[in-house]
């Protein structure tokens, strides 16, 4: 079963929200980016506080993410709803894929999970090492 493990909120002030979630709920900062994004965790769910740069774009929930065991299975199920699963840019940590539900709500899909940042280069290296280990076995 897929598990919701990630939630992203757009805000004009990621630092202000990070301080709020640290103080009120004890969330820990696990990553910060030059562009202002701050990633936090309670040990189960990763919360991304993303800088909202657009005046026309409202602050609030931007997307959520599922941790899955089999991305091909999810992709097949999405096809029944004519919703494509697309690969995320290589410079995005955590989630490998993105899709949307029939109402247009964005969600990420990750086999890796959301506990640690992992970029496409990391995933490629891991895949090569796994293949090498299988050949040597």
């Amino acid at each position: 079963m897929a598990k919701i493990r990630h939630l992203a909120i757009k805000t004009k002030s990621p630092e202000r929200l990070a301080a709020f979630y640290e103080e009120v709920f004890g969330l820990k900062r696990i990553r910060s980016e030059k562009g202002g994004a701050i990633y936090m965790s309670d040990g189960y769910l990763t919360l991304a506080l993303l800088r909202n740069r657009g005046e026309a774009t409202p602050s609030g929930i931007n997307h959520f993410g599922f941790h899955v065991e089999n991305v091909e299975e999810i992709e097949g199920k999405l096809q029944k709803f004519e919703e494509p699963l697309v690969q995320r840019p290589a410079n995005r940590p955590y989630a490998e894929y993105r899709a949307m539900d029939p109402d247009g709500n964005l969600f990420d899909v990750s086999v890796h999970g959301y506990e640690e940042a992992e970029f496409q280069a990391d995933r490629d290296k891991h895949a090569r090492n796994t293949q090498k280990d299988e050949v040597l076995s």
Side-chain angles (χ1 to χ4, degrees):
M1 171 196 282
K3 296 176 174 74
I4 295 177
R5 298 293 307 268
H6 174 75
L7 179 65
I9 298 174
K10 285 195 134 188
T11 176
K12 297 289 185 191
S13 179
E15 182 58 44
R16 179 177 57 86
L17 280 189
F20 171 83
Y21 286 112
E22 282 176 324
E23 182 70 27
V24 175
F25 295 106
L27 270 63
K28 305 290 184 217
R29 294 176 192 229
I30 58 174
R31 179 178 171 77
S32 295
E33 294 184 349
K34 291 179 186 177
I38 299 172
Y39 296 86
M40 306 182 79
S41 180
D42 63 357
Y44 181 78
L45 184 93
T46 300
L47 176 64
L49 304 173
L50 309 174
R51 182 173 306 284
N52 186 354
R53 291 185 170 84
E55 292 303 319
T57 306
S59 292
I61 294 177
N62 178 261
H63 68 274
F64 52 97
F66 286 96
H67 185 191
V68 303
E69 292 181 18
N70 185 323
V71 73
E72 291 83 11
E73 177 184 347
I74 300 302
E75 187 171 28
K77 291 178 179 181
L78 283 169
Q79 287 174 354
K80 294 177 184 174
F81 292 92
E82 298 179 359
E83 295 292 347
L85 185 68
V86 297
Q87 191 164 9
R88 303 265 304 163
N91 65 345
R92 303 297 169 110
Y94 303 106
E96 302 94 315
Y97 302 95
R98 176 161 283 176
M100 69 174 63
D101 67 20
D103 279 353
N105 297 300
L106 295 172
F107 60 88
D108 291 343
V109 177
S110 176
V111 174
H112 165 71
Y114 298 93
E115 290 81 28
E116 297 178 14
E118 180 186 72
F119 296 90
Q120 187 62 47
D122 300 322
R123 292 188 277 275
D124 292 344
K125 181 179 177 183
H126 178 73
R128 285 192 302 274
N129 289 341
T130 299
Q131 288 173 346
K132 189 188 327 179
D133 290 344
E134 288 173 359
V135 169
L136 296 175
S137 297

